[in-house]
Amino acid sequence: AQKITQTQPGMFVQEKEAVTLDCTYDTSDPSYGLFWYKQPSSGEMIFLIYQGSYDQQNATEGRYSLNFQKARKSANLVISASQLGDSAMYFCAMRGRYGNKLVFGAGTILRVKS
Amino acid sequence: GAVVSQHPSWVICKSGTSVKIECRSLDFQATTMFWYRQFPKQSLMLMATSNEGSKATYEQGVEKDKFLINHASLTLSTLTVTSAHPEDSSFYICSALTTELSSYEQYFGPGTRLTVT
């Protein structure tokens, strides 16, 4: 079975500072993918970044980077230079090798302060 | 980019009635569609997976007779909440997978907020 754990129910960050959102996972699949999504109050799910289990380098997308530590089974999201518009719920998710289902963590609510 | 639409975006219905929610992939063919349910400030819970032309696969604990899913074409899947009750009030989100675009990304619809009175 696959499991995603996000231990931070809520986080605050000062505008323009960096913030790390934690995510740990558990799977027996040798091949898997890790995702981060942003969900603002409107409810839409916005894809942020993807990391494949065999990718040698950490994924980066603009201000988003994924700190992938395979041995620790962690895939933390780093948001640099936080903006007020980054305030939202953030979900870490995983998809295993078999099947296409995404398993989501509980989410972290991020609030950016001005 | 790949766009998935949902209709309606919100709906209010009376207890005992049925509600149909449509999920469409607008610019690609979706080989697989997923339906999720989300309560306020909680995570997304997968309800079922549907492939075009075949019966949906429901997750454990999801009543298939209550939540009818039809994936009639490669661009349309519908979720019908039958005999809705107030506890069915929730945010329902669909997503789609395609082999045409990114091999790993799921494309999400904007969601449908259902309120049963």
Side-chain angles (χ1 to χ4, degrees), chain A residues 33-105:
Chain A
L34 296 156
F35 302 76
W36 276 93
Y37 288 88
K38 172 184 177 181
Q39 187 180 41
S41 57
S42 60
E44 61 182 314
M45 293 290 285
I46 301 170
F47 166 74
L48 296 178
I49 198 166
Y50 168 82
Q51 179 85 43
S53 59
Y54 289 116
D55 293 343
Q56 294 296 315
Q57 296 193 341
N58 287 344
T60 60
E61 289 286 349
R63 293 187 299 113
Y64 305 107
S65 60
L66 201 152
N67 184 359
F68 180 46
Q69 298 190 39
K70 196 170 182 178
R72 294 185 177 184
K73 293 190 175 180
S74 74
N76 298 339
L77 176 71
V78 180
I79 305 175
S80 63
S82 297
Q83 302 172 356
L84 295 177
D86 293 335
S87 294
M89 175 79 96
Y90 288 80
F91 290 103
C92 180
M94 177 171 64
R95 184 166 68 220
R97 178 179 185 178
Y98 303 107
N100 294 315
K101 296 191 293 187
L102 275 178
V103 175
F104 285 88

Side-chain angles (χ1 to χ4, degrees), chain A residues 35 37 39 41-45 47 50 61 89 91 95 100-107 109, chain B residues 32 34 36 38 41-44 46 49 59 91 93 97 103-106 108-111 113:
Chain A
F35 302 76
Y37 288 88
Q39 187 180 41
S41 57
S42 60
E44 61 182 314
M45 293 290 285
F47 166 74
Y50 168 82
E61 289 286 349
M89 175 79 96
F91 290 103
R95 184 166 68 220
N100 294 315
K101 296 191 293 187
L102 275 178
V103 175
F104 285 88
I109 298 176
Chain B
T32 305
F34 305 88
Y36 296 88
Q38 185 182 30
K41 291 187 169 54
Q42 293 188 23
S43 188
L44 279 71
L46 180 65
T49 303
E59 295 299 301
F91 191 57
I93 310 174
L97 268 180
S103 62
Y104 55 77
E105 189 173 341
Q106 270 191 31
F108 283 84
R113 200 165 300 280

